[in-house]
Amino acid sequence: MTKDLTEYRQPTRVSFNGGWSVRPKIGFFSELRPGQTPPESICLPHDALVASARIPSENGSNTGYVPGGAFAYSKQFDVPPEWSGRHVAVDFEGVYRDAMVFVNDDFVTQRPYGYSGFRVDMTPHLRYGEQNVIRVEARAHEDSRWYSGGGIYRDAWLIVAGDIHLDYAGVQITTPDLDADLGVAAVATTLRNSGARPRTVRVRVEILDPARAIVAHNEAPITVLPAEPAVLRQRMTIENPLLWDVNDPNLYTAVTRVINGDDELELSTTAFGFRTLQLDTAHGLRLNGRTLKLRGACIHHDNGPLGAATIRRAEERRIEILKKAGFNAIRSSHNPLSPAMLDACDRLGLLVIDEAFDVWTESKTSFDYSLRFADWWERDVEAIVLKDANHPSVIMYSIGNEIPETGNSLGAVWGRRIAEKIRELDPTRFITNGMNPMVSVIHRLAEAGRNMEGGVNSAMNQMGDMMKDIATSDLVTASTEESFAVLDVAGLNYGESRYELDRELFPNRLIVGTETFPAKINENWAAIERSPHLIGDFTWTGWDYLGEAGIGRVNYADEGPQSFGAPFPWRTAWCGDIDITGHRRPVSYFREIVFGLRAKPYIAVHPPENFTREARPTQWSFSDAVATWDWDVADGTPIRIEVYSGAPEVELQINGKSVGARPAGPENGFKAVFETEFAVGEVTAIARSADGSNESWCLSTPVGLPKLRVRADRTVIEASDGDLAYIEMSLEDDEGHIFTQGTQPFSVVVEGEGVLQGVGNGNPQSEDSFGSNVCNTYEGRALAVLRPTGAGEITVTVRGADQTTAITVTAL
């Protein structure tokens, strides 16, 4: 029987995102004084910092010059009399940071880590038959090395269930037995009893295949004692299971019902997949028996113009774009992913390394999680595993990132504790740790007199060959051996110089490049393809992000000394393959060619004003070349052109006239460089393969006056707080060629059943506010993000200097 999943809407779990207000949090006595900032009405998920005025400060580049703050969220909600005797709770997927939760002014709970989901049991604090108030306080202050955002930035869910109810994340599914003919779904259901007496109920589970047909079912009784969790385990056999794979992400659904006679007490739907994972030094990583190399992207958690707000569609759109760009895996950096992004990876077929922590016991900023780690790490690990365990996209946990403690024996003890805790909770996945060889021995380098002025990142940017010497030294080999030994896969951050060395020293060690410089992908990928013990590469970074401002910029000798962070008004890192609006930069196409996924060449042009300047890129730079032939210079101006291609030779033509041919392909770093002269018209690259076939790509100068084009990624969206429409604005000619020179301001007005959630562009130095309705173009483009407030039509009107264009989006 085929089922429509709308039949399985969970009446006991509904969105709790609407109807909130937020205001700055100040001291209790100060709040009693008149003249305080009035609260702002908002809908979750919400970032309380994204629209803040940025302030130039000494260390502000870490957060993109956005200051921290303290915030108080509150929501009034009705509690009807019939809720008496029921279990009433709120599930928060993430509050950044140091969350304190109050119900009717009673303290209920706290959660220091900003990336852990947690449940708030409101039942003992409610007043039935009247309005109640929940208040959540959060703080962000010198506790992150990048832009963290602040507040209730992930979804919240209201739970209203009976005294017998599912525990938090109470349905966990594994697939312990799997072959071509049969698969077993093992469903573990955890119930709690908030009543005073033992209760016996029944749990009925149906398994639906990807076509929504019921393929297995089971029902059994379970007795639940008061204040004691009870677990029921049910095994169901599915014939000829369809496998979950990156190319064919088949998802099954478990529908779990808690019933008492004819009464349905609770219902839950859980997606899962059948797939096998294997790991060995002969084949590397195998998914469903097939060796797979991880084409990986590290990503931070912010959503560009939305800040840290984890709105479901924003997470899904990022995964769509990353997969189209050639990635098959992401590494969450350096904190656990949101449930919404994991859901998107499951549906779209992207593998995940989900990372737990950026710090353990040793701090990296003044007020970071290291202050809470010793007391909270186990509960936070439990939260991560509960969140991840049902997601087939998750193949590996990372227990840390560049942890200094990994270079000593007691630090290795901490690593073993975390790894074994995860294995106890989830033995089905592998464990890694993003270890930076230099960071692991940083204290001993300092003791030996090595200069670390400016911090580790600055040292890495400046050391060059010295960093390779450190990474391959006997000191690093001996200091990190125990920490690597607790892992299934050794994660190396900027440690590619150890790839071949470790194959000789540790022949059973499997390695993943957990963090690599973007310009080295051609060298790294060649090593990965020829070496079974290397399972993949994760570039820093796949998507540009807020904070660590300017680490990927290209400096020039005449600009003075180079530093890790860029001065104000820089706000993004500018090291991503994809900018914060979702636009692919030239490095993205270069990487796609290196991966062997693109046959056509790609053209990127250096700004002609930099032709005679000496470039001094950072380690995280790729190039300042741009894919445009629109330059405000006279014909005959000297210009440098890069052509990326996997073919052995490329020819460059300008307006049909050959400029010459250059070698490209793997032997030449997949790149040919031409120095020639600009001429209005068309530049064409022709890639010539050894078999005589050709592929071409061209750029054209836009003609006439720029016309404002406004497009929505989707014109029909859901009328829910989790959906968005992305409105792309560009200046084009009649043929669609973009005018990239100069800037033009746009104003955006939204009318109808929606609001403007944010505006932005890809400019890493933009001073525009994401919270305004005015935005300047950058390289001819800008972006507005629309959020529905109900069902109906939403009109978006975009006004430029002399043009106005409107577009309609329908929310259903």
Side-chain angles (χ1 to χ4, degrees):
M1 181 185 297
T2 300
K3 292 286 187 177
D4 183 344
L5 277 187
T6 57
E7 298 179 31
Y8 299 126
R9 288 177 180 158
Q10 298 171 243
T12 57
R13 184 179 187 265
V14 297
S15 173
F16 204 53
N17 287 340
W20 288 83
S21 64
V22 64
R23 58 179 292 183
K25 167 63 182 172
I26 56 179
F28 173 77
F29 292 109
S30 297
E31 286 184 342
L32 301 178
R33 300 171 186 164
Q36 302 304 320
T37 303
E40 172 192 2
S41 297
I42 56 96
C43 179
L44 305 179
H46 176 259
D47 181 355
L49 286 175
V50 67
S52 302
R54 298 195 298 141
I55 301 172
S57 60
E58 183 178 353
N59 298 315
S61 65
N62 283 348
T63 60
Y65 298 96
V66 178
F71 331 101
Y73 288 79
S74 63
K75 176 184 172 85
Q76 295 183 346
F77 61 103
D78 291 324
V79 177
E82 55 267 29
W83 284 10
S84 179
R86 297 178 67 80
H87 170 71
V88 183
V90 178
D91 287 349
F92 289 103
E93 292 183 355
V95 181
Y96 198 89
R97 217 195 75 171
D98 286 311
M100 302 283 287
V101 184
F102 302 81
V103 175
N104 296 322
D105 289 330
D106 295 338
F107 171 73
V108 181
T109 192
Q110 67 177 134
R111 195 73 186 211
Y113 197 36
Y115 304 104
S116 289
F118 60 100
R119 173 167 288 186
V120 177
D121 184 359
M122 300 192 293
T123 310
H125 309 277
L126 294 177
R127 300 166 185 164
Y128 298 94
E130 57 183 278
Q131 274 203 336
N132 289 242
V133 177
I134 183 171
R135 185 173 87 251
V136 180
E137 298 176 359
R139 295 158 180 82
H141 173 63
E142 294 184 23
D143 53 12
S144 178
R145 298 185 298 114
W146 56 88
Y147 176 83
S148 65
I152 312 177
Y153 72 102
R154 290 180 177 172
D155 285 315
W157 302 93
L158 177 66
I159 312 298
V160 182
D163 55 355
I164 302 293
H165 55 270
L166 289 169
D167 199 5
Y168 178 67
V171 178
Q172 299 288 305
I173 303 172
T174 57
T175 55
D177 300 314
L178 178 62
D179 58 32
D181 301 321
L182 295 173
V184 171
V187 181
T189 304
T190 303
L191 298 178
R192 286 190 178 272
N193 181 355
S194 58
R197 296 181 178 179
R199 291 277 304 277
T200 300
V201 295
R202 299 183 70 84
V203 176
R204 180 184 301 157
V205 178
E206 295 174 338
I207 304 295
L208 279 59
D209 69 11
R212 306 308 183 205
I214 297 175
V215 292
H217 62 87
N218 190 275
E219 184 176 321
I222 179 172
T223 299
V224 190
L225 302 178
E228 180 180 313
V231 180
L232 176 65
R233 301 186 186 276
Q234 296 164 286
R235 289 171 60 95
M236 283 153 281
T237 301
I238 290 86
E239 295 183 355
N240 304 312
L242 298 171
L243 299 183
W244 185 96
D245 194 273
V246 291
N247 298 320
D248 200 5
N250 291 298
L251 287 174
Y252 285 73
T253 304
V255 180
T256 304
R257 304 175 191 270
V258 182
I259 53 178
N260 182 28
D262 294 331
D263 295 332
E264 183 174 280
L265 305 180
E266 195 159 3
L267 180 150
S268 174
T269 60
T270 309
F272 70 100
F274 288 97
R275 54 109 176 96
T276 62
L277 295 173
Q278 295 167 273
L279 198 62
D280 60 69
T281 54
H283 303 93
L285 173 69
R286 284 185 284 176
L287 175 65
N288 300 325
R290 175 175 58 92
T291 295
L292 187 69
K293 299 290 188 177
L294 300 177
R295 305 190 302 267
C298 295
I299 59 169
H300 267 315
H301 74 284
D302 73 75
N303 276 305
L306 305 181
T310 306
I311 300 171
R312 174 175 53 82
R313 173 56 189 161
E315 303 286 81
E316 179 182 65
R317 177 176 177 263
R318 279 212 286 168
I319 297 305
E320 288 175 350
I321 293 171
L322 285 162
K323 184 159 189 181
K324 287 178 181 177
F327 294 109
N328 65 11
I330 58 172
R331 170 187 173 229
S332 65
S333 314
H334 305 290
N335 44 261
L337 280 182
S338 70
M341 185 164 278
L342 289 175
D343 288 343
C345 291
D346 289 345
R347 289 193 304 272
L348 298 171
L350 217 63
L351 301 172
V352 175
I353 297 178
D354 206 8
E355 195 152 85
F357 307 116
D358 185 50
V359 293
W360 295 348
T361 60
E362 187 158 343
S363 66
K364 294 180 181 177
T365 58
S366 299
F367 301 100
D368 63 21
Y369 177 70
S370 64
L371 300 174
R372 303 295 195 118
F373 174 83
D375 294 327
W376 281 87
W377 72 270
E378 285 191 271
R379 282 169 283 187
D380 289 323
V381 164
E382 289 167 356
I384 294 164
V385 174
L386 282 172
K387 171 180 62 66
D388 286 2
N390 295 325
H391 292 279
S393 57
V394 178
I395 60 170
M396 206 176 305
Y397 298 99
S398 171
I399 62 175
N401 170 71
E402 298 188 349
I403 303 296
E405 297 96 309
T406 53
N408 63 71
S409 57
L410 292 180
V413 170
W414 274 111
R416 188 171 65 251
R417 286 172 179 161
I418 302 169
E420 290 307 309
K421 180 67 177 180
I422 293 174
R423 290 181 178 118
E424 172 191 326
L425 298 167
D426 183 0
T428 69
R429 290 171 170 93
F430 305 122
I431 295 175
T432 188
N433 188 355
M435 289 169 55
N436 183 318
M438 189 170 73
V439 173
S440 296
V441 297
I442 191 74
H443 293 305
R444 272 169 276 188
L445 291 176
E447 291 168 6
R450 290 286 177 92
N451 181 16
M452 294 294 160
E453 185 177 352
V456 172
N457 287 323
S458 291
M460 288 169 56
N461 191 35
Q462 297 164 8
M463 278 185 170
D465 290 339
M466 188 182 299
M467 185 178 166
K468 296 180 183 178
D469 293 340
I470 293 171
T472 56
S473 67
D474 292 341
L475 172 63
V476 166
T477 299
S479 299
T480 60
E481 184 177 7
E482 186 177 359
S483 286
F484 278 131
V486 307
L487 309 172
D488 300 306
V489 181
L492 280 173
N493 284 18
Y494 312 109
E496 61 272 11
S497 58
R498 290 199 65 90
Y499 287 174
E500 292 304 314
L501 175 66
D502 279 3
R503 185 174 65 169
E504 299 299 323
L505 296 178
F506 306 100
N508 292 307
R509 179 178 289 180
L510 287 121
I511 296 173
V512 60
T514 36
E515 198 165 311
T516 61
F517 295 122
K520 292 186 176 181
I521 183 57
N522 55 312
E523 301 170 23
N524 292 341
W525 195 247
I528 287 163
E529 286 193 309
R530 66 175 178 261
S531 303
H533 76 293
L534 301 176
I535 69 169
D537 176 277
F538 286 78
T539 185
W540 192 265
T541 180
W543 196 285
D544 201 23
Y545 59 96
L546 305 177
E548 294 192 319
I551 69 168
R553 68 197 185 281
V554 175
N555 288 340
Y556 288 89
D558 54 22
E559 293 177 328
Q562 188 182 80
S563 61
F564 175 70
F568 187 87
W570 281 83
R571 70 176 175 188
T572 71
W574 202 231
C575 60
D577 280 26
I578 299 162
D579 76 18
I580 61 169
T581 69
H583 177 66
R584 291 178 65 184
R585 299 175 63 205
V587 61
S588 175
Y589 295 93
F590 178 81
R591 189 181 310 279
E592 189 179 13
I593 288 167
V594 171
F595 286 154
L597 303 175
R598 176 186 171 97
K600 290 183 179 294
Y602 190 81
I603 304 170
V605 185
H606 288 262
E609 63 267 26
N610 295 332
F611 185 79
T612 60
R613 302 174 75 194
E614 179 188 350
R616 291 183 177 174
T618 74
Q619 295 277 23
W620 293 272
S621 302
F622 179 73
S623 171
D624 65 354
V626 186
T628 183
W629 199 236
D630 177 30
W631 299 104
D632 190 17
V633 296
D635 285 10
T637 300
I639 201 162
R640 184 177 296 109
I641 300 170
E642 296 179 351
V643 180
Y644 314 140
S645 176
E649 182 182 83
V650 293
E651 179 188 358
L652 190 72
Q653 296 179 355
I654 296 179
N655 296 327
K657 182 179 179 181
S658 179
V659 173
R662 299 280 189 278
E667 297 79 10
N668 297 281
F670 296 90
K671 182 189 300 183
V673 180
F674 297 82
E675 291 189 355
T676 183
E677 295 179 347
F678 176 75
V680 169
E682 186 174 84
V683 57
T684 303
I686 304 169
R688 306 192 188 283
S689 298
D691 62 4
S693 62
N694 298 334
E695 294 278 359
S696 63
W697 189 258
C698 67
L699 298 172
S700 299
T701 308
V703 177
L705 296 175
K707 296 181 179 179
L708 172 60
R709 307 289 187 193
V710 179
R711 303 177 180 89
D713 67 332
R714 296 172 304 145
T715 56
V716 178
I717 61 176
E718 293 180 9
S720 75
D721 53 50
D723 211 352
L724 300 166
Y726 281 81
I727 311 300
E728 299 173 355
M729 302 167 282
S730 56
L731 298 171
E732 303 177 9
D733 67 8
D734 291 337
E735 301 297 320
H737 304 128
I738 294 181
F739 291 83
T740 58
Q741 298 300 291
T743 62
Q744 184 178 134
F746 291 138
S747 65
V748 183
V749 176
V750 176
E751 298 172 297
E753 300 298 322
V755 295
L756 183 64
Q757 190 70 23
V759 295
N761 58 41
N763 185 357
Q765 302 184 64
S766 175
E767 295 190 64
D768 296 340
S769 171
F770 293 136
S772 170
N773 75 324
V774 177
C775 181
N776 288 286
T777 59
Y778 176 69
E779 295 179 353
R781 298 178 179 85
L783 184 74
V785 188
L786 173 69
R787 192 177 192 184
T789 55
E793 289 195 344
I794 310 162
T795 301
V796 183
T797 303
V798 181
R799 295 186 176 91
D802 53 5
Q803 301 178 71
T804 299
T805 301
I807 190 171
T808 300
V809 174
T810 303
L812 299 178

